[in-house]
Amino acid sequence: MKDATNMNTFPQQGTPWEQIQKELHELKKLDVDWLNHPLPGYLYYFGEEILENQLEAHNLYSLENGLGAGVTFFSLEKMLKDIYDWAQDLYHGPETMGMTFTSGGTESLFEAIRTARNRARARGMEGRLNLIIPYTAHPAIDKAAQIMEIDIIRVPVDAEYRADVPAMAAAINDKTFFILGSAVCYPYGIYDPIEELGALALEHDIWLHVDGCWGGFINPFAKQLGYAVPKWDLEVPGVMSMSTDLHKFAFSTKGASLMLQRYQENKDTYETFSINDWPCGTYETPSFQGSSGAGSIASAWAMIKFLGNEGYLKTAKAAMDATVQLTDGVNAIEGLRDVRDGAPVEGNSMAVMSIDPEVDIMAVADLLDAGGWHCSRMREPLSIKHSVTPHHLSGVEKFLKDIAAAVEKVRREGLKGEYDERTY
Ligand SMILES: Cc1ncc(COP(=O)(O)O)c(C=O)c1O
């Protein structure tokens, strides 16, 4: 029965903080125990020191607002300038480079497409436009295309799961304003041929975006570690913009990504919102967001300073070592095979398929989940997908032991599982 407040469930009195703390700790027990069973993606952890420092920086700025950077919060403006300089170093950014600090990879991709779309319109492209991406590109691009009513053409990838550049070229028509490659793609951890895509973009005068949301804070360090990292960033002629997530392998708290573009001028002209037609005068924001978390800006700034090149060599090494060990480990288990089928590891991602009709890989995933892991299921090919983080290094042995035991049991008992669309 509702009382005069017309509320059913809204707390009427405050609750003592000690009780809330207890409840929060209880609630956390509902989640996958990621400390002992490293999760595919979702969170990025590499020890308590990094966690404490990223949180301290975040908390110090939890009340401030990115909207006021350079207006009231001059410290945020200074941090963003430093992040700009560091990104310019890391990604071969030209002097003309523009940068937008966004809430995540999804917003960075949205901003790239919006900027390119506005530029295309200004250059006279009319009617329903389209963009062309490899089949492996992230669904955030579909979201942006849906919002902006742009047609999206996903082109099948080649046998190595790389963007098929001739097929993408064949799909281009007079309404195409944007193409994309990933470095690396989320499903398979593979580099699309960015140099070839750059040449294609220049030939057709089309915007090329490189999605480095996953790879942005792995690729430059994997290269220093000796991995064969192809040219993939603003160094490549024809790349007009790229995205790199700070809240993944840069170890910022969540809500941090960068959209970098070759020309600040395009940012000023086609990305920045400047709205004047309301009572308060000009309201200007660099991107879609209004108020935004300053904690993630401070956290990103602090973590790049704290870890530096030396620190990121360690975190990238852990992620790449874990990927190599997991890949080699599953290839050594009878009936299992990593999705790249023996090709060298490129990025920190792997996926386990069954090559034995007696071993249902979804039944293996179900057993692993029951044992405390969370297995992402991939549909093409049917596999258990691991987006590998540095923390996985601590769980390699246990995972390989558990998956070997699960395979044994599935084979012995003829267990069957089902692909579950929702287990991203
Ligand atoms: C390649 C790639 N692009 C975009 C995204 C989306 O990033 P976010 O979840 O930060 O919006 C991801 C997330 O994993 C990704 O791996």
Side-chain angles (χ1 to χ4, degrees):
M1 184 69 171
K2 291 182 184 178
D3 62 13
T5 63
N6 204 31
M7 293 176 187
N8 280 324
T9 60
F10 196 84
Q12 295 298 300
Q13 280 88 38
T15 306
W17 185 243
E18 297 70 35
Q19 188 183 325
I20 291 172
Q21 279 176 312
K22 243 195 241 159
E23 281 183 37
L24 284 171
H25 285 285
E26 278 306 308
L27 279 169
K28 271 208 156 189
K29 291 184 189 156
L30 296 173
D31 300 342
V32 170
D33 170 16
W34 56 262
L35 197 59
N36 293 305
H37 300 87
L39 276 176
Y42 290 113
L43 62 82
Y44 305 85
Y45 171 81
F46 199 46
E48 289 300 301
E49 193 185 22
I50 288 180
L51 178 61
E52 279 165 19
N53 295 351
Q54 68 169 211
L55 287 178
E56 188 175 334
H58 183 105
N59 289 343
L60 205 59
Y61 275 84
S62 59
L63 287 181
E64 281 75 4
N65 190 336
L67 186 61
V71 181
T72 45
F73 308 119
F74 301 102
S75 58
L76 293 177
E77 187 185 37
K78 155 111 189 55
M79 288 181 207
L80 288 170
K81 173 73 180 79
D82 286 342
I83 293 173
Y84 174 97
D85 290 342
W86 299 333
Q88 204 174 40
D89 268 3
L90 210 50
Y91 303 120
H92 304 93
E95 283 304 308
T96 54
M97 187 181 90
M99 178 188 95
T100 310
F101 191 101
T102 72
S103 60
T106 300
E107 194 193 354
S108 289
L109 287 162
F110 177 82
E111 286 301 314
I113 296 167
R114 191 171 65 80
T115 308
R117 192 273 318 256
N118 289 349
R119 178 170 163 274
R121 289 276 186 236
R123 298 169 99 209
M125 283 183 95
E126 290 176 345
R128 180 113 181 165
L129 304 186
N130 67 63
L131 56 83
I132 299 174
I133 59 174
Y135 184 52
T136 47
H138 196 275
I141 301 151
D142 298 65
K143 291 196 208 172
Q146 281 181 24
I147 292 168
M148 290 184 267
E149 298 189 340
I150 293 163
D151 286 333
I152 185 157
I153 303 168
R154 280 185 180 264
V155 175
V157 289
D158 68 15
E160 288 180 348
Y161 301 113
R162 270 179 238 288
D164 183 336
V165 180
M168 285 176 71
I172 292 175
N173 61 32
D174 63 346
K175 299 294 178 198
T176 307
F177 72 101
F178 180 101
I179 59 174
L180 176 140
S182 305
V184 296
C185 71
Y186 184 80
Y188 310 110
I190 292 281
Y191 285 91
D192 285 329
I194 303 300
E195 283 185 283
E196 286 173 44
L197 287 170
L200 182 66
L202 289 174
E203 185 190 335
H204 292 267
D205 196 14
I206 293 174
W207 190 288
L208 168 63
H209 179 84
V210 177
D211 183 358
C213 288
W214 184 258
F217 268 77
I218 297 285
N219 307 346
F221 310 104
K223 185 170 183 185
Q224 291 178 54
L225 291 167
Y227 284 89
V229 172
K231 289 185 180 169
W232 67 278
D233 59 16
L234 291 163
E235 180 181 16
V236 177
V239 173
M240 287 294 278
S241 59
M242 58 164 282
S243 42
T244 172
D245 286 357
L246 304 172
H247 63 197
K248 293 188 170 84
F249 302 102
F251 290 94
S252 158
T253 50
K254 287 213 178 41
S257 169
L258 301 177
M259 198 283 265
L260 306 171
Q261 48 183 317
R262 187 169 293 282
Y263 299 111
Q264 170 74 30
E265 199 187 329
N266 283 334
K267 175 177 163 58
D268 295 339
T269 316
Y270 303 119
E271 187 184 13
T272 304
F273 283 102
S274 187
I275 285 135
N276 195 273
D277 188 19
W278 77 316
C280 297
T282 303
Y283 173 91
E284 196 165 289
T285 60
S287 66
F288 179 71
Q289 286 192 65
S291 290
S292 64
S296 54
I297 298 175
S299 181
W301 179 85
M303 293 319 291
I304 297 174
K305 261 185 113 72
F306 177 65
L307 288 167
N309 192 59
E310 197 184 13
Y312 289 124
L313 281 173
K314 288 188 191 138
T315 54
K317 183 173 184 329
M320 296 302 286
D321 282 355
T323 310
V324 170
Q325 289 175 27
L326 284 166
T327 305
D328 290 349
V330 299
N331 283 342
I333 297 171
E334 202 194 324
L336 297 186
R337 195 81 182 140
D338 172 74
V339 72
R340 283 181 317 268
D341 199 20
V345 165
E346 295 182 20
N348 47 318
S349 187
M350 52 92 64
V352 193
M353 311 176 294
S354 166
I355 48 168
D356 177 350
E358 309 275 281
V359 176
D360 182 319
I361 197 69
M362 292 297 110
V364 173
D366 290 343
L367 283 181
L368 286 169
D369 281 358
W373 297 93
H374 168 81
C375 292
S376 285
R377 274 84 163 159
M378 185 153 70
R379 195 176 55 187
E380 298 172 33
L382 198 62
S383 53
I384 297 171
K385 171 168 165 34
H386 256 34
S387 314
V388 184
T389 72
H391 180 47
H392 277 87
L393 198 56
S394 68
V396 167
E397 219 174 296
K398 186 170 160 51
F399 181 79
L400 291 175
K401 196 166 141 258
D402 287 359
I403 196 169
V407 166
E408 261 317 296
K409 189 171 159 77
V410 166
R411 195 183 272 123
R412 199 173 54 242
E413 299 180 12
L415 300 176
K416 298 283 171 228
E418 264 179 42
Y419 172 70
D420 181 348
E421 284 282 354
R422 290 158 307 148
T423 53
Y424 175 60

